[in-house]
Amino acid sequence: MALLPNDLTVRLEKLRQSQGANLRWEYRVGAWLIDISVHRLEESAGFHIYLSDVTERREAEAQLEFQAFHDALTNLPNRRAFEKTVAMALEERRTGAVLLLSVDRFQAVVDTLGYAVADRVLCDIADRLALLTAGDPSTCCIHRFDGELFSALVPQFDAPNEFASFASRVAGEMAAPFVIHGREMFFSFSIGVAHFPQDGADVSELLRNADTALQSVKRRGGRGAVRYIEAMSTRALERLEVEHALRRAVERDELELHYQPQLDLASGRIVGVEALVRWRHPMKGMVSPADFIPIAEETGAIIEIGIWILATACAENRRWQEAGLPPLVMAVNISPRQFADPQLPQTVLQALESSGLAPQWLELEITEGAAMHDVDAAITVLHAFKAIGIGLSMDDFGTGYSSLSYLKRFPIDRLKVDQSFVRHMIDEPTDAAIVRSIIVLGHSLDLGVIAEGVETQAQLSLLTKFGCKQVQGYVFGRPRPAAEMRALLQEHLARPTHAS
Ligand code: C2E
Ligand code: MG
Ligand code: MG
């Protein structure tokens, strides 16, 4: 009797009056969840009542439902939940914005500290993000997709400043360091935004466009937020213009190479230079490679430009040697598309031959992205270059895969520590830790390590303390035209010992 529901007699009376035959519902008794099913018996004016304990079954169902829509690591709602909510918002013809938030340079944390620590960091980050919505979960709800990718749906993002203020609230939550294993780490987000209905008709289009915006933030070095239309309109326009003009740049002699010194810290001597291409655009003036190399990559124009760059850099280096300057290594950047070009070895040999430069004075800078695309093919090509005697370095190291096993298999000579780590190494202990790890790692694999983007004495002394032996950066000189570089080398030659 104790298990029967309080309102049983009332319900039975109603059933009798309505001439109904069956009734079924669930109710709680203490910790139990009871399922009751009632059948009215025509002939005896009585009822059969069946009670069953469905507590465990319902809990299991709730658990499954929770798992289906939540991320197991952070307990935040997951991608499925997000897609469902966005689809609902679209159906109800509401307006709003889909945000994708990605933790900047998180792969470096995984690589240096391992997955277990990285997972803990992600949970801490998730907790901070959740604080953003603690006041009012209806205005915005944080979800986790996978890896370091989070998302948010913000229903009433109409004014552009509202969106900026969200981005700065995210930055605000991330301002304090995370303490992991007693060490302080800082994180920032790249945020891509797609508004609906303007930026997409369905969930997948909105997510794709938010991701396009996100990637454009990442390309600019992270830490910031961009709306899809802004990312698209500037990019599409620029692309079109650049694509047309680039085709003629080589013919019209609008490209030039600048050279940036690389120093050996122990001797204070310039041991190499990096060739960096510039485009003297007839209307826009000097265009930075960051603005046209990616487009030249996409359109394939980089192949022709690359041939010119290699020939010019080798010829210049040979001229310096002929002028009696001490021989230097000339580092030339090879972008992924060039690296994948089967003609590349031929192009390189041709540049060496026609300039008369000995192969040991040429170094090719490749990125991990270029090499990891097809690892086995990359290893073959790299060995071919090694066999000729050309130097090889891994550019922007630390931003890509940074995989140790591949590093061992690639026959490279040195690592270039990416400048994004060097830039923040003084104020961000995580970055300092990464720089230090890369230096130790490189040396333990018998590779040279050069830090790029070194701008200040403070960075220089910390790098020295970490055992770094070579540097490149504004602190020793910006990239400069060939004539100025030659003058610098002459002056340098005259100097007996340490350079400034
Ligand atoms: P990268 O190869 O990592 O080149 C280093 C970039 O850092 C250069 O930018 C250089 O000017 C800049 N830099 C050097 N020292 C400092 C410093 O102390 N502080 C700061 N803030 N920056 C510094 P740049 O010349 O704009 O080139 C950008 C990227 O474009 C290069 O990155 C490289 O990926 C690509 N690139 C440049 N020239 C060529 C080229 O001839 N061929 C190809 N394929 N790519 C090139
Ligand atoms: Mg480079
Ligand atoms: Mg670099």
Side-chain angles (χ1 to χ4, degrees):
M1 291 304 282
L3 290 177
L4 290 172
N6 298 330
D7 57 350
L8 181 62
T9 41
V10 183
R11 293 214 193 211
L12 293 184
E13 190 47 42
K14 272 195 189 150
L15 182 64
R16 201 193 310 273
Q17 277 168 18
S18 68
Q19 298 289 317
N22 301 302
L23 238 161
R24 188 169 182 176
W25 76 98
E26 286 178 8
Y27 60 97
R28 285 206 165 272
V29 179
W32 284 324
L33 188 64
I34 307 287
D35 173 281
I36 183 168
S37 118
V38 175
H39 304 286
R40 194 158 62 92
L41 305 173
E42 291 288 348
E43 57 283 13
S44 68
F47 299 92
H48 275 165
I49 296 179
Y50 303 90
L51 299 183
S52 45
D53 172 9
V54 292
T55 319
E56 276 186 11
R57 193 169 86 215
R58 288 285 179 269
E59 271 170 10
E61 280 167 10
Q63 179 67 32
L64 279 179
E65 163 92 3
F66 186 86
Q67 276 169 13
F69 289 101
H70 288 78
D71 162 48
L73 179 68
T74 62
N75 269 343
L76 286 175
N78 64 9
R79 183 180 186 131
R80 251 171 95 188
F82 189 74
E83 291 179 351
K84 205 169 129 185
T85 318
V86 175
M88 211 146 75
L90 289 172
E91 222 163 82
E92 292 168 4
R93 301 189 178 284
R94 297 206 302 260
T95 59
V98 165
L99 280 74
L100 286 180
L101 305 99
S102 161
V103 185
D104 292 327
R105 286 182 280 119
F106 194 73
Q107 190 56 39
V109 176
V110 179
D111 293 337
T112 44
L113 301 174
Y115 279 106
V117 176
D119 278 353
R120 281 241 310 285
V121 178
L122 278 175
C123 288
D124 291 350
I125 291 176
D127 288 346
R128 293 242 193 126
L129 282 181
L131 285 179
L132 286 171
T133 63
D136 182 6
S138 72
T139 56
C140 154
C141 186
I142 301 288
H143 296 61
R144 176 173 178 242
F145 280 16
D146 46 37
E148 79 299 347
L149 190 63
F150 295 84
S151 74
L153 175 70
V154 189
Q156 79 300 48
F157 243 6
D158 284 328
N161 51 352
E162 228 178 303
F163 148 56
S165 94
F166 180 86
S168 65
R169 274 167 60 214
V170 172
E173 287 301 338
M174 296 296 139
F178 290 78
V179 181
I180 318 272
H181 281 333
R183 99 205 228 194
E184 293 192 339
M185 302 187 175
F186 292 85
F187 294 103
S188 63
F189 275 96
S190 297
I191 306 175
V193 186
H195 284 228
F196 55 87
Q198 309 94 308
D199 297 346
D202 57 32
V203 184
S204 62
E205 193 182 355
L206 282 169
L207 283 176
R208 202 168 51 241
N209 293 345
D211 187 56
T212 303
L214 174 69
Q215 297 310 326
S216 84
V217 181
K218 290 206 166 261
R219 270 197 302 275
R220 289 177 213 174
R223 196 189 290 263
V226 158
R227 271 191 63 177
Y228 172 67
I229 345 181
E230 287 158 10
M232 276 324 284
S233 51
T234 46
R235 208 167 146 62
L237 245 178
E238 277 169 12
R239 217 194 109 107
L240 208 74
E241 272 180 52
V242 172
E243 208 183 314
H244 277 285
L246 251 184
R247 279 203 203 119
R248 301 203 186 88
V250 176
E251 298 161 24
R252 294 185 181 173
D253 224 8
E254 289 170 1
L255 297 180
E256 57 188 76
L257 290 184
H258 285 197
Y259 303 90
Q260 185 176 34
Q262 301 180 331
L263 265 90
D264 174 71
L265 286 174
S267 65
R269 310 235 51 113
I270 298 177
V271 289
V273 296
E274 178 175 3
L276 294 155
V277 68
R278 303 287 180 263
W279 180 11
R280 199 178 286 281
H281 192 283
M283 316 287 284
K284 293 193 217 163
M286 206 62 107
V287 185
S288 142
D291 293 328
F292 70 89
I293 293 287
I295 298 170
E297 265 285 294
E298 284 170 37
T299 60
I302 190 68
I303 301 294
E304 195 192 341
I305 294 174
I307 293 173
W308 178 87
I309 291 170
L310 274 162
T312 309
C314 290
E316 193 63 54
N317 200 16
R318 177 76 188 137
R319 269 198 293 277
W320 292 337
Q321 292 181 1
E322 283 172 340
L325 294 165
L328 301 169
V329 172
M330 170 69 68
V332 176
N333 291 284
I334 302 293
S335 65
R337 179 105 172 220
Q338 285 174 279
F339 189 68
D341 176 17
Q343 295 299 314
L344 180 68
Q346 196 47 47
T347 304
V348 172
L349 279 177
Q350 178 68 42
L352 289 173
E353 247 167 55
S354 56
S355 63
L357 185 72
Q360 80 256 37
W361 305 116
L362 176 65
E363 179 178 273
L364 303 180
E365 290 193 4
I366 58 161
T367 56
E368 291 167 85
M372 297 294 284
H373 183 62
D374 181 348
V375 173
D376 292 320
I379 292 173
T380 312
V381 174
L382 292 175
H383 274 294
F385 286 130
K386 273 262 63 101
I388 304 170
I390 294 168
L392 297 168
S393 68
M394 191 65 93
D395 204 357
D396 305 339
F397 189 76
T399 57
Y401 306 78
S402 314
S403 164
L404 301 187
S405 52
Y406 290 118
L407 257 193
K408 272 171 68 181
R409 292 177 63 198
F410 290 144
I412 52 168
D413 305 291
R414 56 174 184 169
L415 301 179
K416 298 194 78 175
V417 183
D418 189 63
Q419 47 180 291
S420 60
F421 304 116
V422 175
R423 187 175 307 136
H424 301 294
M425 68 186 289
I426 298 301
D427 40 277
E428 299 206 5
T430 325
D431 288 343
I434 291 169
V435 171
R436 183 191 205 132
S437 310
I438 295 175
I439 294 169
V440 170
L441 163 77
H443 289 157
S444 71
L445 290 173
D446 246 350
L447 302 174
V449 179
I450 180 165
E452 57 178 344
V454 185
E455 293 182 354
T456 65
Q457 286 297 332
Q459 291 164 345
L460 193 60
S461 27
L462 194 53
L463 284 164
T464 312
K465 202 175 125 205
F466 288 167
C468 185
K469 300 197 176 83
Q470 296 180 339
V471 291
Q472 175 183 347
Y474 295 169
V475 71
F476 288 117
R478 295 182 175 250
R480 61 197 71 206
E484 282 176 39
M485 188 67 218
R486 177 190 265 234
L488 180 74
L489 290 174
Q490 253 146 7
E491 185 196 316
H492 195 72
L493 181 63
R495 222 180 288 166
T497 51
H498 252 73
S500 65

